[in-house]
Amino acid sequence: MKEVKTVWHWWTGWEIEKFENWLEEMEWGGWNLSKVDYILRFKFAKGKSRKMRYCVDHQNNVENNYFELFKEDGWVLVDENIAPWYIWRKSYEYERPDIYTDTKSLIERNNRQIRNVFIGVFISLFLLYLVFIGNFDSTKLISALLILSLAFYGYLIAQYYRYSKKLKQNEIKC
Amino acid sequence: MDTKKLQNKYLPLTEAAYYVLISLNEPRHGYGIMQHVEKLTNGRIKIGAGTMYGNLSRMEKEGLITPVAEEDRKKIYELSEKGKIVLKLELERLKELLEHGKNEMRS
C-alpha cells in the first residue's frame, strides 16, 4: 500500500508564488500531489523526490486551445475540478520553467481575480437592497452578514491591489 | 481607425506581443509561435504558455489577429489587416529609435 497523506493548506491569490513553492517543496521531499479538493485540501502520495515546478493559473473562461497549448509546452494539469483555478506542473532539471514570462500577464491574471471579487460585491449590494425594500423578520441579521461580506471583499480587493503594485515594482519583461 | 488612435492604443508593443505579431505573418498556432520565437532569438526570448494564451486571447479580441482554422483543438491564427497596420507602425517607430540612437552615438 502506498503511503498517502491529506493536508489542508491555506493559500491566497495574492501570494501564489508562496503556494507554488510549497507544492514544489513537497515534491522535493517525495510527496507527489495526486488530488486537490475544495481548493484547499491536498492529497499526496509518498513516492520519489521530484524536481517539479508548479504554476497556478486563474482563468474565467477557457477554450480548448488553452489546455492544448499548455500540454504541448509540457505542462500537466493536476486537477480539473477547481476551476477557475488551474494547477499546472512540469518536471525540470536546470532552468525552472514558468507559465507567465512577463509582468503584464501576471497583472492580467490578478485583474481577472479582482473582477470576480467585484461580482461578489455587486451580488451583496443587490441582496442588501432587497433586504431594505422588503420587510423580512431577520432583516438585521441578514444585513449584518451582508455588510460583513462587503468588508471581506474590501479586504480581498485591497490585497489584490497591493499584489499588483508589488508586481509592477519588480517588473519582468519577457 | 486613424493612425494616431492606433499608435496611442497599441504602441509600444511589449516584446512578447511584438514577436507574436511578426510570427503571425504566416498562420501558426500558439505553441508553433513559442518555438518560432525561441529559434528566432536564439533562446533569448521564451514566451511562457500562460503569457502566450493571454496575448493571443487579447489580440483576437482587439482584432489584431484572426483565427483561420482549428486543428486537433489547436487554434491557428494569422495577422489581420488591422494587425498588419499596427505592426507597420511599430516597425516605423523602432526604425526611428534605431536611427536616432545611431546618429547620436556617432557624434
Side-chain angles (χ1 to χ4, degrees), chain A residues 57 59 62-70 86 88, chain B residues 53:
Chain A
D57 197 12
Q59 294 284 351
V62 283
E63 296 177 53
N64 278 337
N65 62 328
Y66 171 75
F67 300 101
E68 201 54 38
L69 177 57
F70 277 66
Y86 298 91
W88 294 96
Chain B
Y53 183 76

Side-chain angles (χ1 to χ4, degrees), chain A residues 5 22-32 45-51:
Chain A
K5 74 170 169 185
W22 176 71
L23 291 169
E24 190 164 338
E25 277 160 27
M26 292 296 275
E27 287 280 355
W28 187 237
W31 289 104
N32 310 142
K46 187 76 187 164
K48 270 190 203 146
S49 163
R50 302 192 289 194
K51 218 171 163 182

Side-chain angles (χ1 to χ4, degrees), chain A residues 24-64:
Chain A
E24 190 164 338
E25 277 160 27
M26 292 296 275
E27 287 280 355
W28 187 237
W31 289 104
N32 310 142
L33 182 62
S34 56
K35 200 169 172 10
V36 186
D37 292 303
Y38 318 115
I39 305 179
L40 298 173
R41 200 176 76 180
F42 301 86
K43 279 194 178 135
F44 295 95
K46 187 76 187 164
K48 270 190 203 146
S49 163
R50 302 192 289 194
K51 218 171 163 182
M52 188 73 81
R53 169 74 164 125
Y54 278 85
C55 284
V56 179
D57 197 12
H58 180 283
Q59 294 284 351
N60 289 327
N61 302 300
V62 283
E63 296 177 53
N64 278 337

Side-chain angles (χ1 to χ4, degrees), chain B residues 69-85:
Chain B
E70 199 161 339
E71 276 172 24
D72 310 321
R73 320 205 318 164
K74 290 180 217 170
K75 221 163 165 178
I76 296 165
Y77 293 95
E78 204 176 33
L79 270 180
S80 69
E81 283 310 310
K82 187 179 166 189
K84 279 181 191 162
I85 296 169

Side-chain angles (χ1 to χ4, degrees), chain A residues 49-160:
Chain A
S49 163
R50 302 192 289 194
K51 218 171 163 182
M52 188 73 81
R53 169 74 164 125
Y54 278 85
C55 284
V56 179
D57 197 12
H58 180 283
Q59 294 284 351
N60 289 327
N61 302 300
V62 283
E63 296 177 53
N64 278 337
N65 62 328
Y66 171 75
F67 300 101
E68 201 54 38
L69 177 57
F70 277 66
K71 273 178 204 158
E72 272 194 294
D73 194 31
W75 295 93
V76 177
L77 190 62
V78 175
D79 216 317
E80 244 175 292
N81 63 18
I82 55 162
W85 294 100
Y86 298 91
I87 301 178
W88 294 96
R89 69 178 171 204
K90 187 181 190 173
S91 69
Y92 70 103
E93 210 147 318
Y94 306 107
E95 199 182 341
R96 194 168 180 249
D98 234 319
I99 60 167
Y100 288 114
T101 43
D102 65 343
T103 300
K104 194 180 176 189
S105 313
L106 286 168
I107 288 172
E108 280 174 354
R109 177 182 67 184
N110 213 26
N111 287 343
R112 288 193 290 271
Q113 297 172 55
I114 294 172
R115 207 175 60 193
N116 285 7
V117 180
F118 271 112
I119 293 171
V121 170
F122 285 121
I123 292 171
S124 284
L125 285 175
F126 179 67
L127 291 174
L128 211 53
Y129 166 74
L130 288 183
V131 169
F132 278 121
I133 57 162
N135 283 314
F136 298 119
D137 290 338
S138 50
T139 303
K140 267 188 190 150
L141 179 68
I142 296 173
S143 313
L145 284 174
L146 287 171
I147 288 166
L148 212 62
S149 78
L150 284 173
F152 176 64
Y153 292 142
Y155 166 74
L156 294 182
I157 290 166
Q159 292 293 343
Y160 279 124

